[in-house]
Amino acid sequence: MSAAKSLLIELGTEELPPKALDELSQAFLDGIVQGLSRRGIEGALDTARAYCTPRRLAVYVPAVAATQPEQHIERRGPALNAALDAQGQPSRALTGFAQSCGVEVSQLEKLETDKGAWFVFRAVKAGQPLASLLPEIVEEALKGLPIPRPMRWSDHDYTFVRPVHWLVMLHGADIIDGGVLGLKSGRKSRGHRFMHPNPVHVTDADGWLDALRAAKVLADPLERRDRIRDEIARTAAQTGGEPRLDDALLNEIANLTEWPAVIACTFEREFLAVPPEALVTTMETNQKFVPVFDATGKLTEHFIGIANIESKDPAEIRKGYERVIRPRFADAKFFWDEDLKTPLASYQESLKNVTYQQALGSLWDKSVRVAELSRVIASRVGVDAGAATRAASLAKCDLLTRMVGEFPELQGVMGRYYAQRQDEGTAVAQALDSYYQPRFAGDAIAADAVGQVLAVAERLDTLAGIFAVGMKPSGNKDPFALRRAALGLARTLVEAGLELDLRASFAEALELLPDAALAAGLKPGKDGKPPVLDAGARRAALLGELTEFVFDRLRGYYAELGFTTEQFESVLAVSPVTLPDFDRRLRAVAEFGRRPEAASLAAANKRVANILRKAEEETGIAPGGAVDPACFESPAEHDLAGALDAALADTAGPRADGDYTAVLTRLARLQAPVDAFFEGVLVNAEDARVRANRLALLASLKAQFSTVADIARL
């Protein structure tokens, strides 16, 4: 067997989509590594690397063997009783199996197991060379790439994400002959499109990176990102500012360039009168430029562009970047100036002409519902109801402004700016932006009280309305982002400490919906006729679905925080009214679970629950009622009853204050009397009065723990 050598596969293409490039590159690497592994080809697969530029996908694998190891083949044939006839001669099944294996019957072996005996064919086949297997491996890897809309070009039968132009497949210094997507492999790569347009000779797989670097191509995306980040930081420092470069923009810039070169640029200071979010959005989203801020976090007139060429005259590139951004900034300034001429509130009437959802009405109808919910919620949690109602009535108005029409991602942000300039008040203006929070995973909730109220009201109405019309999420389909809305609602209630009855709040949201919305989600009867709406029953059914939907989102939220499923379900079992109360109980249960008494008390509670359930099944009556000390026959009964009375008295205050950790800490001291009770007392005594009294004592024990959670579920 030949010595192991590095393996290089490079596929050259037209410019690949930058946002998809990282995923394509990783998938190509995974496909190659899996293909080698499935065929048993040895190599340093764990250290394989993916490389990519806008014009190429490449995989490098160190120390790959030149051939497969020997292949041990074993094929099981017919069972022994079916393979031979009564005279012991081979049956047609056995001879056919032997022929399919290319051998005589006499060359077959017998395999005997506990489950029976079979004829088998065994052989050792020499491993195939890597050179004969690699084209197939590459084809499989390319077919497995996540390409939603493959292209077809020229008159070829094959498709790919972009047209392809060259193929390099090297094992060490040896070319692996083969074809992929109509290309024949060789050792000619290509350098930078403008700075090194000639073919690049690749001597061997290990020299590929350096050969491309000499041809003005940084094939390693990590190297490109480091270079971009460092050069941007250096250039921004020369202006006295700080660049804003998040990972998403950095990755996209790196995937647009093969030899990134940083260009320092400026724009006219008059544009700084426009809200910075509009300018930053234009720079980052439309042009892939990097904005620069001063030490106080204020946007400056400086920005940084990244060229894909090392120009002899960078001033010309700078002029081009400044020229291309100027009309976009001018548009933003025009939108800003024109929008300020129209009071935000004047858009309310126009909201009537914008459909939110056919059965749910217009954006105006939604705003009216959200305003009423905001008024009610604000009054309950001690927030200025007037400010909350006003914010709700203006919350959708900025959607009709010129600026948001051009930059939809600025909804809320522009509402805040317009409200500030039009003297709507700080609380109202802030809420118009903050109520969208959390906008994405990991984002914070609204920090201001009015924004929190509006965030809750908005999501209550959205969830209730879309569920009512029968468009709740299904599988991966969630066009109204209801899962995100439910989690945002739950997080706002929990993290803001808003003590709102979740079911009651959903009930109020459902009451505000028109009957048309409630009827829209009903399916026609078997006769095809429209269903008859029972509004009360419909709302009751939706109420259960909505509450369950929110708690389903909470399961994932708390799981990410480290709480267990058993802890979550133990609290859910006692149906806390508010989510902050749910949160306090859950944290107390988690703290209780770390105590040494927890396992024993959880087991005892489970035993109690089983005893009480069985007693109820037998009698049809739930055990309970007052405990009569006159029926006690054992000191253990007296001790447990006394301990329960003392615990009830001690926990009354903490329970009223919602200090569930203190409650469970005190109840943990019941372990000794509970264990003694079960060791020395027979619950199912023959005397009916004694048995009922003992069941009542256990019901009292369960009730005390159930004031926090169903500990039996731990």
Side-chain angles (χ1 to χ4, degrees):
M1 181 182 293
S2 302
K5 305 173 188 176
S6 298
L7 173 66
L8 172 72
I9 303 151
E10 180 194 18
L11 178 68
T13 71
E14 293 289 342
E15 273 70 11
L16 294 160
K19 290 186 178 179
L21 184 54
D22 291 334
E23 185 179 8
L24 290 170
S25 179
Q26 183 61 46
F28 189 39
L29 170 67
D30 293 343
I32 296 297
V33 169
Q34 290 167 11
L36 294 171
S37 178
R38 278 197 300 269
R39 290 163 177 82
I41 298 174
E42 297 176 352
L45 303 185
D46 292 342
T47 58
R49 283 287 309 276
Y51 295 99
C52 62
T53 77
R55 301 175 63 212
R56 73 201 74 222
L57 294 172
V59 171
Y60 171 83
V61 190
V64 177
T67 62
Q68 289 176 309
E70 290 182 337
Q71 304 295 297
H72 292 267
I73 302 171
E74 180 174 297
R75 288 181 58 192
R76 184 179 295 190
L80 208 60
N81 56 6
L84 303 173
D85 59 21
Q87 287 73 41
Q89 296 302 310
S91 66
R92 292 183 61 184
L94 182 58
T95 56
F97 173 69
Q99 289 174 0
S100 70
C101 297
V103 297
E104 299 293 330
V105 170
S106 60
Q107 295 176 266
L108 297 176
E109 300 178 27
K110 293 180 182 179
L111 172 66
E112 296 186 2
T113 71
D114 295 340
K115 297 181 179 180
W118 290 266
F119 277 95
V120 295
F121 167 71
R122 293 190 177 100
V124 177
K125 180 181 177 183
Q128 291 182 264
L130 171 67
S132 65
L133 296 171
L134 190 62
E136 180 183 52
I137 292 172
V138 174
E139 284 188 2
E140 288 178 0
L142 293 176
K143 288 178 181 178
L145 298 187
I147 306 173
R149 293 192 180 97
M151 291 180 60
R152 189 183 301 277
W153 62 97
S154 188
D155 57 351
H156 302 308
D157 293 332
Y158 43 78
T159 62
F160 194 56
V161 61
R162 291 291 187 270
V164 297
H165 292 297
W166 74 90
L167 175 66
V168 176
M169 295 195 302
L170 296 177
H171 187 222
D174 300 328
I175 296 174
I176 295 182
D177 291 327
V180 174
L181 298 177
L183 300 172
K184 180 175 174 57
S185 66
R187 65 171 71 250
K188 296 293 184 182
S189 181
R190 297 190 189 179
H192 193 281
R193 186 184 289 277
F194 304 112
M195 292 190 290
H196 196 292
N198 297 325
V200 176
H201 179 85
V202 183
T203 303
D204 56 32
D206 292 327
W208 173 77
L209 263 181
D210 290 336
L212 286 184
R213 190 177 290 108
K216 299 298 184 181
V217 173
L218 297 180
D220 186 345
L222 298 179
E223 184 180 358
R224 291 200 305 278
R225 288 167 192 157
D226 288 342
R227 176 170 176 166
I228 291 167
R229 188 187 295 107
D230 293 344
E231 287 298 299
I232 286 176
R234 181 186 60 79
T235 303
Q238 293 174 351
T239 71
E242 291 285 338
R244 190 180 92 169
L245 180 63
D246 62 26
D247 288 343
L249 180 58
L250 174 61
N251 292 342
E252 191 167 0
I253 292 172
N255 291 341
L256 285 166
T257 58
E258 290 193 322
W259 192 263
V262 169
I263 307 292
C265 309
T266 59
F267 58 83
E268 290 80 355
R269 290 182 62 84
E270 65 184 73
F271 291 126
L272 292 174
V274 178
E277 290 87 349
L279 304 181
V280 169
T281 297
T282 293
M283 285 187 274
E284 293 181 338
T285 304
N286 300 119
Q287 302 302 138
K288 316 308 174 192
F289 294 154
V290 178
V292 177
F293 294 79
D294 65 19
T296 66
K298 185 178 180 181
L299 184 66
T300 72
E301 70 273 22
H302 300 284
F303 69 95
I304 299 170
I306 295 84
N308 186 30
I309 189 171
E310 199 172 76
S311 175
K312 297 179 180 178
D313 190 0
E316 285 301 311
I317 297 180
R318 174 179 56 78
K319 290 178 183 178
Y321 286 166
E322 293 173 350
R323 186 167 54 247
V324 77
I325 207 171
R326 191 171 294 116
R328 289 189 173 275
F329 279 8
D331 286 345
K333 188 174 187 305
F334 172 77
F335 297 146
W336 168 245
D337 293 339
E338 289 300 304
D339 286 341
L340 285 177
K341 297 175 182 178
T342 305
L344 199 57
S346 67
Y347 289 106
Q348 289 175 319
E349 189 68 23
S350 298
L351 291 175
K352 295 178 180 178
N353 301 321
V354 182
T355 300
Y356 168 59
Q357 199 280 333
Q358 185 175 6
L360 293 168
S362 64
L363 283 179
W364 165 258
D365 296 320
K366 179 173 179 59
S367 295
V368 170
R369 295 193 301 269
V370 173
E372 175 59 17
L373 287 171
S374 296
R375 182 190 66 79
V376 172
I377 293 169
S379 298
R380 286 183 181 148
V381 298
V383 174
D384 185 342
T389 305
R390 180 63 174 172
S393 68
L394 298 176
K396 303 299 180 187
C397 291
D398 71 334
L399 299 179
L400 302 184
T401 63
R402 292 174 175 84
M403 186 73 85
V404 175
E406 180 69 15
F407 303 107
E409 58 268 50
L410 295 182
Q411 57 187 281
V413 173
M414 295 313 303
R416 168 167 54 86
Y417 278 107
Y418 295 138
Q420 287 172 341
R421 291 291 293 266
Q422 295 164 7
D423 298 323
E424 286 290 349
T426 302
V428 170
Q430 185 66 30
L432 296 186
D433 184 6
S434 65
Y435 90 93
Y436 282 96
Q437 294 176 260
R439 286 183 169 88
F440 50 84
D443 192 19
I445 67 166
D448 57 302
V450 175
Q452 292 166 0
V453 168
L454 183 53
V456 170
E458 167 71 20
R459 288 163 175 80
L460 285 171
D461 177 76
T462 297
L463 289 163
I466 303 303
F467 264 65
V469 299
M471 299 179 69
K472 62 183 179 181
S474 175
N476 293 328
K477 296 180 180 178
D478 188 7
F480 286 88
L482 297 188
R483 294 186 178 97
R484 187 174 66 191
L487 182 56
L489 168 64
R491 282 190 56 201
T492 302
L493 291 173
V494 170
E495 295 174 26
L498 299 179
E499 300 287 355
L500 291 173
D501 184 326
L502 182 63
R503 286 181 63 87
S505 298
F506 269 130
E508 288 165 344
L510 290 166
E511 285 292 337
L512 293 172
L513 297 179
D515 285 351
L518 296 173
L522 295 175
K523 297 180 180 179
K526 293 182 179 180
D527 56 4
K529 295 181 179 179
V532 177
L533 174 65
D534 182 338
R538 177 74 174 134
R539 287 190 176 94
L542 288 169
L543 183 58
E545 292 180 23
L546 287 163
T547 306
E548 182 179 355
F549 186 71
V550 171
F551 276 105
D552 281 344
R553 306 282 77 72
L554 272 177
R555 281 187 178 86
Y557 169 70
Y558 280 116
E560 290 182 0
L561 294 178
F563 295 93
T564 68
T565 299
E566 292 79 12
Q567 291 167 351
F568 184 91
E569 294 298 333
S570 74
V571 178
L572 185 60
V574 299
S575 303
V577 173
T578 73
L579 294 191
D581 188 55
F582 185 99
D583 184 77
R584 288 190 295 271
R585 292 169 185 265
L586 182 58
R587 294 179 187 279
V589 166
E591 180 66 26
F592 171 74
R594 289 189 281 270
R595 298 184 64 87
E597 310 95 327
S600 175
L601 284 169
N605 271 270
K606 185 173 184 179
R607 183 176 180 182
V608 168
N610 291 335
I611 291 170
L612 296 177
R613 182 175 62 253
K614 185 175 180 180
E616 184 177 359
E617 290 172 354
E618 291 175 352
T619 64
I621 302 174
V627 177
D628 184 1
C631 294
F632 290 160
E633 296 182 345
S634 166
E637 294 175 272
H638 285 282
D639 292 345
L640 180 56
L644 288 174
D645 289 341
L648 183 61
D650 292 344
T651 58
R655 189 181 296 112
D657 295 336
D659 187 354
Y660 300 114
T661 299
V663 172
L664 288 177
T665 298
R666 175 61 182 86
L667 293 179
R669 289 159 53 187
L670 293 173
Q671 180 191 6
V674 168
D675 289 348
F677 177 86
F678 280 117
E679 289 174 6
V681 177
L682 177 64
V683 177
N684 290 321
E686 293 186 7
D687 188 318
R689 289 179 64 250
V690 173
R691 181 169 63 252
N693 197 59
R694 289 174 179 172
L695 290 171
L697 185 60
L698 293 182
S700 176
L701 170 66
K702 185 174 185 298
Q704 289 213 36
F705 275 98
S706 295
T707 58
V708 178
D710 185 357
I711 301 301
R713 294 176 181 258
L714 296 180

